[in-house]
Amino acid sequence: MIEMLKGSLILVGAIFMFLAALGLVRLPDLLTRMHATTKAATLGASLIMLAVALHFGEVAVVARALGVILFIMMTAPVAAHVIGRAGYFVGSRLWHGTVKDELRPNYDPLTHELKSGLETEANAVHQPRENDPK
């Protein structure tokens, strides 16, 4: 029974990893590619690590496998967010079918300032710095 569970976890994990790779090749722009690879690869790697934990069954291996799963789940979304945001800021083109661009009204590409949308009149005024381009 455990062998079937391990095999199915590895198979489903590999399928998710394959879908992540397929999304990387097939999707049209940086942000959708980041979304597909982050979600599917995180789930795929986690399922494979669960199979590893079940296969070895030792406390040290299970603890390490769970640590790897926790590390992947904590770092992959943050890394994808940072990479996607950096790609947006350097001018990566969005797909022509993108319906909503929530950063456009709040981002100034000349000064690279991103406003949160929660500014008051007092703190929304641009304060020039010494090293700002003139």
Side-chain angles (χ1 to χ4, degrees):
M1 180 68 182
I2 293 292
E3 296 297 322
M4 294 275 294
L5 182 61
K6 290 188 298 190
S8 62
L9 283 173
I10 290 174
L11 183 63
V12 173
I15 289 170
F16 274 106
M17 298 289 272
F18 175 73
L19 289 175
L22 190 64
L24 187 62
V25 173
R26 298 276 304 165
L27 291 174
D29 68 345
L30 174 72
L31 298 179
T32 54
R33 288 177 184 159
M34 292 298 297
H35 178 78
T37 54
T38 303
K39 305 288 182 188
T42 300
L43 183 58
S46 297
L47 291 174
I48 291 172
M49 290 308 295
L50 279 176
V52 167
L54 283 175
H55 177 73
F56 288 104
E58 297 174 9
V59 174
V61 175
V62 171
R64 286 185 183 127
L66 293 178
V68 167
I69 291 170
L70 182 66
F71 180 77
I72 290 172
M73 292 218 176
M74 287 176 51
T75 58
V78 173
H81 174 80
V82 170
I83 293 169
R85 193 170 179 161
Y88 183 89
F89 290 162
V90 298
S92 176
R93 292 184 176 253
L94 297 178
W95 176 49
H96 64 84
T98 300
V99 176
K100 194 174 198 178
D101 183 1
E102 293 182 354
L103 285 181
R104 180 172 294 205
N106 296 320
Y107 176 64
D108 183 8
L110 297 175
T111 62
H112 296 290
E113 286 187 18
L114 180 64
K115 297 188 179 1
S116 67
L118 301 175
E119 287 83 11
T120 63
E121 289 295 322
N123 67 6
V125 176
H126 175 70
Q127 302 294 329
R129 298 183 201 115
E130 292 177 16
N131 57 356
D132 279 351
K134 303 222 185 221

